[in-house]
Amino acid sequence: MSDPLDALEKSISSLRRAIRDASAAGDTERAGELRAQLRRAERAWDALIDADEPAATPARLEPTAVPAAQGAQLPAREHVHRALMLLGTPAAPKLIVGVHEAFFPGELSASKLSSLRRDEERSYRSSPGARPYYLCMALAHDLLTPVRALVTISTWALEQRIIGPLSPRVDFLTGAVHIAKAVHNSAQSTADGPSPAALRLLWRFAVNIPDALPRSAPGHEGALDPQQVIDAAEAELEVHADADRAVRTEAARRARKSLGDDQQLFGAPLQGVTRLRTARA
Amino acid sequence: MKTDTDATPAAAAAAATDAILTDMADGSHRALVVDSPPGAGKSTLVVRAAQELTAGGERPIIVAQTNSQVDDLIERLAAAHPDTAIGRLSATDYVATPALGALTNTTVGRALGDLSGCRIIVGTAAKWATVRDGTFGWAILDESYQMRSDMLLQVVERFDRGLFVGDPGQLDPFTIVGTERWIGLPHDPTQNGVTVMLEHNRGIPVHRLPVSWRLPTSAAPTISQAFYPFTGFTAGTSEGTRALEFNTTAFGNTDLDETLAMAFATGWALHELPRRHVPRTDTETIQTAANLAGRLLDRGALATCERHQNGRPLGAGDIAIGVAHRDQADLVRAALTRTGNPNAPGVAVDTANRLQGREYEVVIVIHPLSGRRDATAFHLEAGRLCVLTSRHRQACIVVAREGIADLLDSHPSTDPVHLSVRAKFPDGWEANHVMLAKLALHRVAA
Amino acid sequence: MKAPVDDRLDALRGSAKRLDYSARSLAALENNPRCTLRALLDASGSDKAAIAAHAGHPSPFGQSAFALARGNVFETMVKDNGCAELLRLLRETLQLTLPEVGYEDLNDIGGDGRAEVRHDRTKQVLLQAARGNGGGTLFDHPMLCLPVGGHKAFLEPDLVAFRIGGRFHVVEIKSFPIIDGQADPTQVRAATTQACAYIIALRNLLARVGIDKQAVSDTIVLVAPKDFTNRPTAAFVDARKQVAALSRQLARIERIGDLVDLLPEGLTFDLGLDKDKRARRPAEELAEALDQVPATYRPDCLNHCEMAFYCRSRARADSSLDVLGPAVREQFGGIDTTTMVLGLAQGRLTPTQDQVEMAAALRHAARLRAELNVLGGAE
Amino acid sequence: MSMLSALAHVQATESMQAVPLTAFRHRRLSSRPLVIIPLVMAGEAGAPLAAMVGSARRKGTLLVVAQPRNRDQRFAFAASLGRTVIDYIDSFRQGRRGGGGHSRYPDTPQILVPNHGGIKALADLGRMCRFRSTSGPHAVPDVVPEFGMWLTFLVDRAEQAGTSMLLPVTGILAEHWATGQSTLEDQNLASLMAWIAPPAGLSVEQAMADAENPDVCPPAGPATSPEFDNRDLAPAIKRFDTARTLGDLRALAAAESDLRELIAGQIQPTWRMTWEAIALLRSVPEAPRTIKRFERDCAAFTSYSDYRDSGGLPQRKRDTAIGAAQRLGWLERALAEFESDMAFDDPFVLADRRSAGEAFAGTVVEAEPSRTVTTASNRRVPRPRVTIRTQDPVRLAADTKLLSPSMPSGHKAVIVSVLPDGDATLVTVEVTGGMGRARVPARGSVPVPDQRIAYLPDPGWRPAPQFPGSDRTPWTHSATAGETGADPAAPEDAAAEEWGNED
């Protein structure tokens, strides 16, 4: 019964049968209810048939007009770049969007980001170095293959773009420090202070860092102290930093030796685990 | 607890008692818990502890769960301390048993005021719950694992410190109300009082009586393994101390005789009826259990033990038949009258709930899972089987229809799983398997 | 001479692709373990849903897209930003120390998502951790493998956490809420049983290199939304009983041969799929084949088993008391059908010796009900 | 279950129609119940999707949450449902009777939901609403916490046996009728109705099949069918979200009305069927003692109503030690009394108990009407003895206290002996109460030979358990470390609320 058309056809026939029974019994209320269901099922069936035709008409419900931009009309890659520069660490699209919404004007959606990444690689390969920076990949410390879903900037040092076992946590804490600083700055520099979205973002970081929240205050964004978040994050960073740096440095050295320029940006090709085993041995 | 590994049972038990009394005298603990496996001398301990407290100038109260438990305790106390005035706090409709009525140092009172001269006051938890004032230094709570937490809450204001004594392997208290509202709370009112008290008080010493004086050597290891997997115990008597002999030779050589012979020789027997799904009131099963008792009385038996080294003839009062449901008990009683043995109606018949804390020479059990199609949580409950198979001093005979192994196989334990609640052990499923494996070695096909 | 068990199981399945056991289907073993039909269909890797549908009783086990989406979104959220939320929870529940943050992503290995590849890598990193030479603490979607009935079943826990100096803990991330410390017991049970499959598989993996099963805790960590928020919270679930129960059920699968031996020669549940994956075998013929295998229907099956609607219709056709459920069934001891119950109750059938007693009770009950209906107690 | 009820299910199977299990309806049906059909979104923690609510079949109001994941929309929904329910409840807070501390409202609200899942959905909604703050950053309308507290009160009360302020219709139906299907299937309103009153022109078989076909009978909730979710609901919600993001008001209105229509199609059949079930239940006579339990409902309603008026705090998340023990006591008592009431009122239920040996009925074969005894206080009182011959398998022991539905109220007796007599049983009882104050029993107060009489055990009066005061939890039930006893009135950690729309 995996075929939705089959399922619909079955629904339609059982509804027809039920309508016939209800009408025969003179139960108009019930028959009316069932007729509405039938109409809906038939519409769904029509839609499916249309969709199956090779020259499908464009779905009517797609937005017809692009919404008017409410902020700066920068290209998306600029938005991403700005957000990443603020964070200072490789980041997943969701976090990039979060940072963007917290600190910058303009629209940026996560779905746009994934197409962006493909474009960047294509653009680099067609004319390397034509742009001042490229959005590129983070690399796994052992295989030097691209890491799922993390975006970085080509101008960063390779060490910054390598992901070892401790790096996700280190990057999270580093990001927290940078966000806290940005919140602190906007508190100092702007009249309205940090945006609610910025406070919320910082709060989401702070709740997951030991001692980053004021001890007594109930969990509330307003009660946040950016300096406390910075201190707490740095205290934990202290614990991981050396070990993480060692792994990253070693991997970066290896990458520089064995990978071409493009591979250093977009990752080594996959060669299965055999290679991995030797790399880990 | 420090006990020498090679100490005699008596020495181990004495050491355990000493440790308990020392902790009690020390006074630094608000409560003490004594876990007592079947027949480990719980009542003896209660009597002893009451004596120690009285000697130390205390006026302890004793909280038991049923009227018969109260009567038993008073008889023992009165016998052990003929010079101590003992009070029995009772409901208005309580009628003293003849044995109790004959005691000279015992007063029966409806209110605390009636018992002002008594050094030890004993009553049921339900009666204590009606007492509104007065606080005593110490309470001894007997069978406290059978006391629900909400009952403890009603009596706890009557004492400063408590000695909680009970058997953790027996049936848990229950409620007819099916609600999950309190699951996971440390003060779940449907839990037993000991568990709740321990949840709220850290560092309470939990002692364990290490020796069962009731169970024979044939039974102690199995019961210990099945129902007390983490805290074992040993039999107090040694091999050969207990024995059963027939007064007559088998004149029929029926399967009943075969089963009795197995039980007499090994301490266990599984009398297995043909496989069939039956209602729990199945006449064949019930009559068989009654007939086994009748046959035993017909043939007459001599029981030898540490108390009667030259043997003592078994009477109807030495035998009990244990069942899971009350209607089964009624039917077994009726079946006993049909056995033809005039003494058979004197055999005690009761459900597991009511057999808790009682002791017999020979116990005949109708297996809770016998003839069933499915194994519900009720029928799988470890405590139920534990009570039924740990009442005997000499032998235990289990009557069941074939097929329990398959039943267990197809009904893995299906208890609901809750967050942050420790799984209850022993698991009824597992315990049933251990018992069944043991019984399989003593099987007599009927 | 009979064919080997595996060949016979393959013949039962016929031309369809073998469906391997998953954590879900393994967890389902604890429901109605005695059902022969279910055991055979599972062991042969048959597609129960397709078979039931073709036999005219499609199973209604669709899953709502909302539930799926919610599950995925929640798991992602818990693992976002270097498992920030998860680390907080594990630091609270497992007392993970500050340095224990090492993260191994086992969702794919350098972009390669094949089960075997991921399993190899999983084995490698988990064994390193167990032996104390790896820095890993959080293992994201490790790929475990458990041989079940001679076939590999790949199992993928949401996360395995390793506490240094301690033990492996299976972490299950579920999107049903924990409200005031309580969650729906049915859902908790299902999650627990699945986690048990992971525990067993993990122990199996370690056992092969001689590491004791104690290295894997039988307490699982359940991570779920707290109350009505999106914030995750964690709770322990004591899975000791379920681990024991599932181990026993797995041992049973090894005895499938006994069941296979009882089947008629040439029996198959083949759907006769054509190249468009449409079933061509006549439905009656399939139903006939199914009818030859005993099934143990219980109303509860409707919640679990794809075959349940088929089995219920079979039970109804047989006038079986199973249709009414165990509570009703229990009252009638060894009697199997409604026809027999009524026959005895009305005195139309003569009881066999086994049934005498039941017949008397039934007649008493029938007399009472008749008395009441005469009184006209209810219109 | 007794054999008698089991037999009823077999009879239903054989005759292919539901058969009565009781003579009466043991639940009060209000003349003006409020029906609520709650729907929730799959996979989401208590996310309401819609509700149909109203106190008459023709007056149903449909409330829809277009995007259930949106926090503001959820609480807007809770507020509008809350207003309807609170208005309904308020309409019963009048005409108070009696004086002083004992005055009470003469009637109570009654909310009916289709099934047990409906109660769970209301419980979740109540829990979600009652702690909400009406000020601060995540403020909700005043009615929301008020609604939450009332819902919680009703849900808590529904846990108590025999109460009628919140009931699932399937539950009332299954109490009265036995079907030829299992308890599990009986929880499906359409399946249950298929046995009791199949739609006109349909056989029970066809109605049963339809009941399980979500196309013909959409599920009665609270969850909607996965097919509906995937095929209809998900795209409709998506259209709504798109229109909202784009700020296209026309598209938004269209999407919203489409969603309403869609959900109406799912909820309407259940609404209709629920009212049909209610009409059917009205035709069953109400058991006499229902009124006694209803009066307790009135008292509980009045007292909670006063508590609300005095600005009482919301119910705690979990019971305290003393609260839990108290509640357990109430629940156990209510259940014992309800079971006894039903057996007393209803010959069917009595017969159930009789077949299990827990009650008996028979004919008086011997009477000693003038027997007297001297009490401890030296008074002569009548203690007539009567022997009853019964075919029932009596399993009551001597000294059991008895009540009789066949004697004038106040009649009390106690079993003296139970003796077998061939295939029957002779039960001798001593009449202990209900004979009046005179030396000679009042006329008709002692059973006479050849009279048919039934007896059942008296649940008896039990003193209400007395627990320590709620501020004095004893050491056995409270941690010495000092509990984190959160103030039940404290609004929930507001910042922990991150609802967020999905991308």
Side-chain angles (χ1 to χ4, degrees):
Chain A
M1 287 307 265
S2 53
D3 188 343
L5 266 178
D6 283 354
L8 268 173
E9 279 162 16
K10 198 154 172 273
S11 303
I12 290 171
S13 75
S14 56
L15 280 165
R16 288 200 172 125
R17 200 262 314 137
I19 293 171
R20 202 176 60 222
D21 289 341
S23 306
D27 190 341
T28 50
E29 195 178 345
R30 193 174 142 72
E33 285 166 15
L34 291 166
R35 279 209 182 85
Q37 297 295 328
L38 176 63
R39 279 196 297 276
R40 187 166 295 284
E42 284 171 344
R43 277 209 298 279
W45 187 87
D46 285 345
L48 267 182
I49 290 287
D50 288 348
D52 276 0
E53 282 172 12
T57 48
R60 273 166 305 190
L61 285 147
E62 279 301 296
T64 44
V66 179
Q70 292 146 355
Q73 285 268 23
L74 284 176
R77 64 189 302 270
E78 295 291 342
H79 285 318
V80 175
H81 182 249
R82 241 175 13 179
L84 279 173
M85 289 305 282
L86 189 149
L87 262 180
T89 66
K94 205 163 142 195
L95 177 59
I96 295 174
V97 172
V99 171
H100 171 79
E101 284 171 351
F103 297 101
F104 305 110
E107 289 283 330
L108 179 66
S109 74
S111 56
K112 188 161 276 169
L113 254 150
S114 58
S115 61
L116 205 56
R117 273 193 297 176
R118 282 194 301 276
D119 293 346
E120 292 283 311
E121 184 166 359
R122 218 175 292 138
S123 154
Y124 176 85
R125 290 195 193 284
S126 62
S127 54
R131 295 178 173 181
Y133 67 85
Y134 291 88
L135 301 179
C136 60
M137 308 293 182
L139 306 188
H141 74 106
D142 42 12
L143 288 176
L144 303 177
T145 48
V147 175
R148 248 181 353 134
L150 287 182
V151 185
T152 68
I153 306 176
S154 59
T155 53
W156 287 352
L158 205 41
E159 283 79 358
Q160 204 175 348
R161 297 197 291 108
I162 297 274
I163 302 295
L166 302 176
S167 307
R169 184 67 183 173
V170 165
D171 288 351
F172 168 77
L173 295 166
T174 311
V177 170
H178 290 151
I179 289 168
K181 284 182 175 159
V183 167
H184 179 76
N185 288 341
S186 44
Q188 304 286 308
S189 58
T190 58
D192 303 340
S195 69
L199 284 176
R200 201 153 52 236
L201 183 68
L202 179 59
W203 183 81
R204 285 168 72 155
F205 273 78
V207 285
N208 293 313
I209 301 170
D211 305 321
L213 286 178
R215 203 163 276 280
S216 56
H220 211 283
E221 292 120 63
L224 274 175
D225 171 7
Q227 191 55 48
Q228 189 181 354
V229 180
I230 294 171
D231 294 346
E234 283 178 344
E236 195 190 325
L237 264 175
E238 190 88 356
V239 177
H240 315 301
D242 289 346
D244 182 52
R245 197 175 309 116
V247 171
R248 284 177 154 182
T249 312
E250 188 281 326
R253 190 185 45 77
R254 202 151 32 84
R256 287 194 191 95
K257 246 171 44 191
S258 62
L259 301 184
D261 285 352
D262 57 335
Q263 290 180 339
Q264 289 186 27
L265 292 183
F266 298 101
L270 315 173
Q271 286 175 10
V273 268
T274 6
R275 185 196 152 101
L276 173 81
R277 282 194 175 135
T278 42
R280 298 275 300 196
Chain B
M1 255 185 316
K2 281 161 272 171
T3 48
D4 283 346
T5 42
D6 51 2
T8 61
T17 309
D18 286 346
I20 294 162
L21 296 177
T22 308
D23 264 352
M24 203 170 73
D26 161 357
S28 61
H29 302 290
R30 198 118 206 219
L32 296 181
V33 175
V34 179
D35 285 357
S36 165
K42 187 165 53 62
S43 303
T44 311
L45 176 76
V46 169
V47 169
R48 179 81 193 281
Q51 177 189 29
E52 295 281 323
L53 288 169
T54 317
E58 290 280 349
R59 219 181 137 211
I61 64 170
I62 300 181
V63 181
Q65 307 311 313
T66 65
N67 273 311
S68 60
Q69 285 168 11
V70 172
D71 290 344
D72 280 357
L73 276 174
I74 289 183
E75 280 178 47
R76 281 164 164 270
L77 280 168
H81 316 302
D83 305 329
T84 309
I86 300 166
R88 191 197 195 288
L89 192 63
S90 307
T92 37
D93 55 358
Y94 170 77
V95 182
T97 58
L100 210 69
L103 297 174
T104 50
N105 59 340
T106 302
T107 317
V108 177
R110 305 273 138 86
L112 273 188
D114 305 342
L115 306 170
S116 49
C118 298
R119 300 299 304 159
I120 305 172
I121 304 176
V122 193
T124 60
K127 181 61 193 173
W128 279 111
T130 65
V131 178
R132 286 279 80 85
D133 43 35
T135 304
F136 296 80
W138 273 91
I140 300 172
L141 299 107
D142 193 17
E143 299 288 3
S144 51
Y145 282 94
Q146 270 73 60
M147 176 166 61
R148 240 169 42 181
S149 147
D150 59 336
M151 181 54 92
L152 174 61
L153 198 51
Q154 292 177 66
V155 301
V156 62
E157 288 187 310
R158 299 285 77 80
F159 56 87
D160 295 327
R161 290 162 202 280
L163 174 65
F164 292 75
V165 183
D167 181 350
Q170 298 205 13
L171 284 162
D172 260 350
F174 69 100
T175 172
I176 46 169
V177 174
T179 174
E180 290 175 341
R181 172 183 276 279
W182 301 298
I183 286 167
L185 289 179
H187 52 257
D188 181 344
T190 62
Q191 290 271 342
N192 68 65
V194 182
T195 305
V196 169
M197 185 274 292
L198 287 175
E199 280 284 332
H200 291 101
N201 294 274
R202 284 178 201 288
I204 297 290
V206 178
H207 294 269
R208 189 164 45 81
L209 298 180
V211 178
S212 173
W213 301 104
R214 174 193 308 148
L215 291 173
T217 46
S218 58
T222 307
I223 299 298
S224 173
Q225 184 203 347
F227 304 107
Y228 303 84
F230 306 121
T231 56
F233 60 87
T234 54
T237 51
S238 51
E239 198 106 22
T241 314
R242 307 253 174 99
L244 286 172
E245 285 165 78
F246 286 113
N247 292 340
T248 55
T249 49
F251 32 88
N253 201 15
T254 62
D255 48 9
L256 296 181
D257 286 320
E258 206 183 321
T259 299
L260 292 175
M262 171 69 85
F264 277 35
T266 67
W268 289 103
L270 170 63
H271 188 86
E272 197 168 64
L273 297 168
R275 180 189 295 262
R276 205 198 293 163
H277 289 306
V278 289
R280 66 193 193 204
T281 53
D282 176 42
T283 307
E284 188 181 1
T285 313
I286 279 166
Q287 192 64 54
T288 304
N291 288 350
L292 280 165
R295 182 72 177 165
L296 178 52
L297 290 171
D298 284 348
R299 289 188 56 188
L302 199 68
T304 314
C305 67
E306 65 281 14
R307 296 179 203 158
H308 303 277
Q309 295 184 357
N310 297 322
R312 177 178 76 88
L314 281 192
D318 295 315
I319 305 172
I321 302 180
V323 295
H325 296 278
R326 279 179 44 212
D327 51 359
Q328 292 176 319
D330 295 329
L331 291 167
V332 172
R333 285 189 201 105
L336 281 168
T337 61
R338 291 192 295 266
T339 57
N341 186 298
N343 296 322
V347 170
V349 184
D350 241 320
T351 58
N353 295 59
R354 289 157 187 246
L355 286 175
Q356 298 194 90
R358 314 244 296 264
E359 179 172 290
Y360 300 88
E361 298 300 315
V362 176
V363 175
I364 299 164
V365 174
I366 295 183
H367 198 293
L369 292 170
S370 172
R372 290 191 58 85
R373 260 179 203 281
D374 59 355
T376 67
F378 175 90
H379 298 97
L380 280 175
E381 190 176 348
R384 182 156 283 103
L385 193 60
C386 178
V387 171
L388 293 172
T389 53
S390 63
R391 298 302 97 199
H392 61 283
R393 296 184 73 234
Q394 293 280 3
C396 177
I397 302 170
V398 177
V399 180
R401 290 208 171 263
E402 191 191 342
I404 294 179
D406 293 335
L407 191 65
L408 286 173
D409 215 13
S410 49
H411 292 274
S413 68
T414 51
D415 307 346
V417 183
H418 298 286
L419 301 179
S420 321
V421 176
R422 302 293 292 163
K424 183 157 164 47
F425 278 88
D427 179 20
W429 203 96
E430 209 74 68
N432 262 290
H433 260 307
V434 174
M435 283 309 296
L436 209 60
K438 172 69 181 168
L439 289 171
L441 306 173
H442 305 263
R443 177 176 167 274
V444 176
Chain C
M1 204 187 96
K2 295 239 181 189
V5 172
D6 271 353
D7 292 355
R8 293 215 59 200
L9 288 172
D10 285 342
L12 274 183
R13 185 180 70 248
S15 56
K17 187 174 166 324
R18 182 181 170 86
L19 295 185
D20 285 322
Y21 279 106
S22 64
R24 254 180 96 108
S25 62
L26 286 177
L29 287 174
E30 71 168 0
N31 304 312
N32 204 354
R34 272 202 114 183
C35 182
T36 307
L37 181 60
R38 224 271 305 268
L40 285 172
L41 288 169
D42 279 348
S44 61
S46 300
D47 182 346
K48 295 201 289 288
I51 289 174
H54 193 56
H57 299 277
S59 58
F61 293 111
Q63 207 188 351
S64 168
F66 298 129
L68 282 174
R70 165 74 174 162
N72 293 334
V73 167
F74 182 73
E75 184 178 340
T76 313
M77 198 271 285
V78 169
K79 290 181 178 171
D80 268 349
N81 301 327
C83 295
E85 292 280 358
L86 194 60
L87 273 173
R88 171 179 60 83
L89 293 170
L90 296 180
R91 284 173 176 178
E92 284 164 11
T93 52
L94 291 180
Q95 273 81 48
L96 277 189
T97 59
L98 272 191
E100 292 176 287
V101 298
Y103 170 85
E104 285 281 354
D105 185 352
L106 296 163
N107 282 283
D108 61 40
I109 309 309
D112 189 339
R114 283 172 303 166
E116 287 81 3
V117 175
R118 290 174 56 199
H119 176 58
D120 281 350
R121 171 76 170 157
T122 298
K123 208 157 60 182
Q124 189 186 9
V125 296
L126 289 182
L127 290 180
Q128 271 172 358
R131 290 172 175 140
N133 353 311
T137 296
L138 305 175
F139 301 92
D140 188 351
H141 280 268
M143 182 61 84
L144 303 171
C145 179
L146 186 67
V148 181
H151 296 272
K152 279 184 186 171
F154 283 105
L155 306 171
E156 195 181 344
D158 292 334
L159 191 116
V160 168
F162 185 65
R163 185 180 158 196
I164 294 171
R167 312 159 73 182
F168 287 100
H169 283 81
V170 169
V171 179
E172 276 287 280
I173 302 175
K174 292 288 172 193
S175 61
F176 57 80
I178 296 180
I179 298 176
D180 301 335
Q182 285 186 302
D184 177 3
T186 323
Q187 308 234 53
V188 177
R189 185 177 183 88
T192 308
T193 321
Q194 273 191 37
C196 290
Y198 306 141
I199 292 174
I200 294 169
L202 197 49
R203 286 183 169 172
N204 183 293
L205 184 148
L206 297 176
R208 273 181 274 154
V209 297
I211 298 175
D212 187 74
K213 68 175 189 172
Q214 285 305 316
V216 183
S217 167
D218 39 22
T219 296
I220 63 168
V221 180
L222 179 73
V223 174
K226 178 173 164 54
D227 302 338
F228 299 96
T229 71
N230 251 345
R231 280 304 294 287
T233 183
F236 281 120
V237 183
D238 183 346
R240 282 177 292 172
K241 284 190 193 185
Q242 280 72 33
V243 169
L246 188 58
S247 305
R248 284 181 216 117
Q249 298 307 335
L250 289 172
R252 279 179 76 97
I253 295 181
E254 311 299 328
R255 307 205 301 258
I256 194 76
D258 302 350
L259 297 180
V260 170
D261 284 345
L262 302 173
L263 298 179
E265 285 290 336
L267 184 76
T268 177
F269 308 132
D270 195 349
L271 296 177
L273 296 179
D274 65 14
K275 62 181 190 337
D276 295 327
K277 304 264 185 249
R278 296 211 167 240
R280 291 295 173 210
R281 186 173 185 197
E284 313 79 66
E285 202 185 298
L286 175 66
E288 253 169 58
L290 291 170
D291 284 348
Q292 301 196 43
V293 182
T296 320
Y297 170 74
R298 302 192 304 219
D300 196 35
C301 297
L302 296 172
N303 289 332
H304 311 293
C305 183
E306 291 90 340
M307 299 303 294
F309 284 78
Y310 158 77
C311 295
R312 185 179 64 178
S313 84
R314 199 165 122 181
R316 279 180 181 157
D318 296 344
S319 301
S320 165
L321 284 170
D322 289 334
V323 173
L324 295 173
V328 170
R329 166 115 244 197
E330 186 186 340
Q331 294 296 322
F332 302 120
I335 302 180
D336 289 319
T337 63
T338 53
T339 342
M340 178 63 81
V341 168
L342 285 184
L344 293 174
Q346 294 158 351
R348 282 186 285 108
L349 295 176
T350 316
T352 62
Q353 208 182 341
D354 298 359
Q355 295 168 338
V356 174
E357 217 178 316
M358 182 52 69
L362 277 170
R363 281 197 302 274
H364 178 253
R367 196 165 55 234
L368 278 178
R369 273 197 69 82
E371 231 174 78
L372 293 164
N373 285 322
V374 168
L375 287 173
E379 277 77 19
Chain D
M1 176 154 325
S2 70
M3 173 170 281
L4 209 63
S5 308
L7 186 61
H9 283 278
V10 173
Q11 286 170 338
T13 311
E14 284 292 301
S15 61
M16 276 318 271
Q17 60 172 0
V19 300
L21 272 175
T22 60
F24 294 102
R25 162 166 52 74
H26 293 268
R27 306 289 183 157
R28 171 183 165 269
L29 263 188
S30 164
S31 58
R32 190 165 56 90
L34 185 75
V35 171
I36 304 181
I37 318 276
L39 292 186
V40 300
M41 185 185 231
E44 205 80 4
L49 171 66
M52 188 125 172
V53 56
S55 56
R57 181 172 175 170
R58 299 280 161 211
K59 282 200 308 194
T61 309
L62 178 65
L63 303 168
V64 172
V65 190
Q67 174 45 279
R69 293 198 185 95
N70 181 295
R71 176 183 190 283
D72 296 335
Q73 293 189 35
R74 271 191 211 191
F75 284 110
F77 165 87
S80 41
L81 180 59
R83 271 186 282 273
T84 311
V85 173
I86 297 281
D87 284 352
Y88 171 75
I89 289 175
D90 280 344
S91 71
F92 290 88
R93 296 167 71 176
Q94 54 185 330
R96 202 154 166 152
R97 285 178 202 158
H102 292 290
S103 82
R104 52 178 74 154
Y105 297 117
D107 198 357
T108 73
Q110 179 176 52
I111 292 179
L112 298 175
V113 292
N115 49 33
H116 282 283
I119 293 194
K120 175 80 175 78
L122 294 188
D124 281 348
L125 192 60
R127 167 64 182 79
M128 194 174 90
C129 291
R130 72 178 190 268
F131 298 110
R132 297 266 71 90
S133 165
T134 54
S135 59
H138 295 282
V140 296
D142 287 351
V143 69
V144 170
E146 186 72 11
F147 176 45
M149 290 180 249
W150 271 109
L151 275 185
T152 306
F153 163 73
L154 292 168
V155 170
D156 284 353
R157 183 84 190 156
E159 241 181 80
Q160 202 155 318
T163 60
S164 308
M165 277 196 274
L166 171 61
L167 287 171
V169 168
T170 46
I172 325 178
L173 290 170
E175 251 171 42
H176 180 65
W177 277 288
T179 65
Q181 63 194 2
S182 69
T183 326
L184 185 89
E185 289 140 320
D186 274 353
Q187 282 164 22
N188 177 350
L189 178 60
S191 296
L192 188 52
M193 287 293 280
W195 283 89
I196 301 169
L202 285 195
S203 66
V204 170
E205 288 91 336
Q206 183 63 55
M208 277 162 67
D210 280 359
E212 286 173 352
N213 180 344
D215 290 320
V216 182
C217 282
T224 46
S225 89
E227 294 82 28
F228 169 75
D229 283 0
N230 301 347
R231 193 181 81 193
D232 303 314
L233 189 58
I237 292 183
K238 194 160 193 163
R239 284 194 292 274
F240 172 85
D241 283 344
T242 313
R244 213 169 56 124
T245 329
L246 295 178
D248 179 343
L249 291 180
R250 257 200 24 230
L252 191 66
E256 230 175 333
S257 91
D258 197 40
L259 256 171
R260 283 186 67 84
E261 191 201 318
L262 199 59
I263 289 170
Q266 292 292 298
I267 218 168
Q268 197 83 44
T270 305
W271 175 262
R272 178 175 46 72
M273 206 178 291
T274 303
W275 285 102
E276 280 165 11
I278 293 171
L280 206 58
L281 285 165
R282 283 201 197 288
S283 69
V284 181
E286 187 172 289
R289 296 193 158 199
T290 308
I291 191 77
K292 179 185 93 183
R293 295 189 296 273
F294 169 60
E295 276 160 14
R296 281 191 209 143
D297 277 350
C298 288
F301 171 63
T302 309
S303 107
Y304 192 69
S305 186
D306 292 349
Y307 180 73
R308 287 263 41 81
D309 285 344
S310 68
L313 297 175
Q315 297 89 341
R316 291 174 170 276
K317 289 178 182 171
R318 304 289 300 266
D319 288 344
T320 60
I322 290 167
Q326 240 152 10
R327 191 194 298 274
L328 177 58
W330 298 329
L331 293 178
E332 286 187 329
R333 225 174 144 83
L335 184 58
E337 279 182 27
F338 184 45
E339 285 182 345
S340 166
D341 280 1
M342 284 199 291
F344 193 90
D345 278 348
D346 195 319
F348 277 73
V349 182
L350 182 66
D352 251 10
R353 306 272 301 261
R354 285 167 58 192
S355 76
E358 294 165 2
F360 63 95
T363 311
V364 176
V365 289
E366 213 182 301
E368 218 185 319
S370 51
R371 181 172 175 276
T372 58
V373 297
T374 309
T375 64
S377 54
N378 222 7
R379 233 162 43 86
R380 285 183 78 77
V381 291
R383 284 289 178 268
R385 283 193 173 178
V386 178
T387 300
I388 297 127
R389 187 168 196 276
T390 175
Q391 299 286 337
D392 295 341
V394 187
R395 295 202 181 99
L396 297 171
D399 293 332
T400 307
K401 293 176 181 145
L402 301 174
L403 294 174
S404 172
S406 19
M407 294 297 291
S409 69
H411 180 87
K412 284 190 192 316
V414 61
I415 295 185
V416 176
S417 66
V418 180
L419 296 168
D421 176 32
D423 60 346
T425 305
L426 291 176
V427 187
T428 303
V429 307
E430 185 169 302
V431 182
T432 55
M435 292 171 289
R437 298 217 147 255
R439 285 246 180 117
V440 183
R443 262 172 65 88
S445 67
V446 177
V448 295
D450 293 333
Q451 184 179 344
R452 286 280 303 167
I453 188 167
Y455 276 112
L456 68 147
D458 182 357
W461 176 84
R462 271 191 297 172
Q466 297 285 316
F467 298 105
S470 55
D471 52 340
R472 289 187 296 132
T473 310
W475 59 277
T476 47
H477 287 68
S478 67
T480 37
E483 268 177 292
T484 48
D487 178 5
E492 283 194 81
D493 193 4
E497 304 277 354
E498 291 170 45
W499 302 92
N501 283 318
E502 230 168 280
D503 40 5

